[in-house]
Amino acid sequence: MKKALLYFALGAILSFLINYFFYSSENIGLDIYYAIAFGFAWGIAYYLDTPNFTLPQKLGLSFVAMAILVLIGTLIFNIQLAIPSILKFSTVFVAYYLIASFRANKTLRD
């Protein structure tokens, strides 16, 4: 769990710095929200990267996480601004497991 939180923090910080310095959005709150979505995806992907979770459980939990992101984004901003958080989340989630698929043991944890 500690490493999953570390992945979350590093992903969120890195994403925020890239968005802030290279894209310079006018809405700092939106940049923070997208950075949290990015970090949340890395943290959840790492946390679920274990044989203890079946594939349906991994998919179900990732969909629940995306629903939470949309709900929070809709409450804070609006649905149009919340949808890109799903795209960031799903892209990172798929990238994590794509990278893991190249390893012999199919996990990045080891």
Side-chain angles (χ1 to χ4, degrees):
M1 184 65 147
K2 285 182 183 180
K3 268 191 147 176
L5 291 172
L6 181 66
Y7 270 61
F8 164 74
L10 291 176
I13 291 168
L14 180 66
S15 176
F16 176 77
L17 292 175
I18 289 170
N19 283 334
Y20 185 75
F21 288 114
F22 294 112
Y23 296 119
S24 63
S25 168
E26 297 89 36
N27 190 343
I28 193 85
L30 191 59
D31 287 343
I32 292 170
Y33 171 68
Y34 289 155
I36 289 172
F38 188 86
F40 191 48
W42 278 113
I44 292 288
Y46 181 82
Y47 180 72
L48 295 177
D49 186 19
T50 177
N52 297 338
F53 292 104
T54 64
L55 183 60
Q57 288 174 327
K58 290 177 184 180
L59 290 172
L61 290 172
S62 69
F63 283 125
V64 168
M66 286 189 281
I68 290 169
L69 283 172
V70 170
L71 179 65
I72 292 170
T74 303
L75 292 174
I76 297 172
F77 305 106
N78 60 39
I79 191 74
Q80 289 84 12
L81 296 176
I83 296 300
S85 70
I86 295 175
L87 299 174
K88 290 178 185 301
F89 183 95
S90 59
T91 302
V92 169
F93 206 80
V94 168
Y96 183 95
Y97 284 104
L98 179 67
I99 293 167
S101 72
F102 290 113
R103 293 185 51 122
N105 59 1
K106 304 297 182 217
T107 180
L108 294 180
R109 284 195 136 176
D110 297 328

